[in-house]
Amino acid sequence: TRAGWAFAVFVPARALALDDRTTADFLESLSRFTSGDIGPALPPLSLRSLLDDGVETVLVLDGIDEVGVEKANRVLHFLDRIVASWPNTTAVATTRPIEAGAFDLAAWDVVSTAPMDYSDWRELFTWEAHAAGLSAKDAEDRASALAERVRRTSALTNLAGTPLGSRLLARSLLRRGEEQPDPTLGDLLYDLVEERVWAWANRASRPRTTQLLEDILPDATSRTRVLG
């Protein structure tokens, strides 16, 4: 801030209790998270004091779709009130596109990631191949082949337009191997539905969004029988 830069705070939405009743309570929760998790060795931080002193501040709440619609809308309300009360504040909230339609975003500027291209696919597929256990050389070779495969197939190109779509697609293509033919749209749709609806909520303790379905059909086998 001494050099004229903004003070930025990045907070995973799931890290907050989100039971605050007022905007002041919400600011206090952000201050506690910043002091306890980001800078525990530093003196306690008061975001309210920084804002009152006119310090340019950027608040980033990441993954509001992971806390449920009611809590997410409350977070958006608190952020809106903070920006309205302190013009020296910029608020950013991130969510996946599918869940964004459930939130009240009328007062927000909504932006999305730029479409991914060949170089982006190569980089992302390389890291996915690393995560799958391939060596550095094999990961780069495999990523280049997969990126070229996506570029030459319009159906794959459309599905890989976003980072999330590219990650899901990468896992499907890595599982299938280079020697297999290009998957059909039906193959990809099945893989993506399986990943998004059946497996996604089990990652990183994400909240259950299909509780009734999960209670009646608790595993992939039982759900596959219903689908035929």
Side-chain angles (χ1 to χ4, degrees), residues 28-209:
E28 182 60 31
S29 292
L30 293 178
S31 297
R32 286 196 300 271
F33 174 82
T34 304
S35 295
D37 287 72
I38 299 178
L42 300 175
L45 172 73
S46 171
L47 287 174
R48 175 68 180 268
S49 297
L50 288 179
L51 297 179
D52 287 341
D53 289 343
V55 175
E56 291 291 331
T57 303
V58 180
L59 302 177
V60 181
L61 268 292
D62 181 50
I64 62 170
D65 54 288
E66 298 177 5
V67 299
V69 174
E70 181 181 352
K71 289 183 177 180
N73 279 324
R74 193 155 68 244
V75 168
L76 292 173
H77 168 74
F78 288 146
L79 291 175
D80 180 64
R81 297 314 308 150
I82 291 172
V83 172
S85 301
W86 290 277
N88 49 310
T89 307
T90 299
V92 178
T94 70
T95 178
R96 291 189 295 268
I98 290 178
E99 285 80 359
F103 305 140
D104 182 7
L105 301 175
W108 288 74
D109 294 324
V110 180
V111 298
S112 59
T113 55
M116 299 188 70
D117 58 19
Y118 178 79
S119 61
D120 298 321
W121 294 325
R122 278 192 59 187
E123 182 176 3
L124 186 146
F125 292 164
T126 298
W127 288 112
E128 288 290 339
H130 274 304
L134 274 66
S135 67
K137 179 65 166 59
D138 289 343
E140 291 179 3
D141 291 344
R142 190 70 178 280
S144 296
L146 291 180
E148 182 59 36
R149 189 175 183 179
V150 170
R151 179 162 62 178
R152 72 169 185 261
T153 308
S154 59
L156 300 184
T157 300
N158 292 333
L159 287 172
T162 66
L164 176 59
S166 294
R167 288 194 66 195
L168 297 178
L169 182 59
R171 292 170 185 155
S172 177
L173 293 177
L174 285 169
R175 285 197 302 267
R176 293 175 182 277
E178 294 181 66
E179 67 283 353
Q180 298 187 26
D182 287 338
T184 65
L185 285 178
D187 294 333
L188 291 171
L189 180 61
Y190 181 86
D191 288 345
L192 294 178
V193 168
E194 183 179 41
E195 176 76 19
R196 181 62 181 85
V197 177
W198 298 347
W200 196 263
N202 294 327
R203 296 184 176 182
S205 302
R206 286 183 169 83
R208 298 171 67 186
T209 56

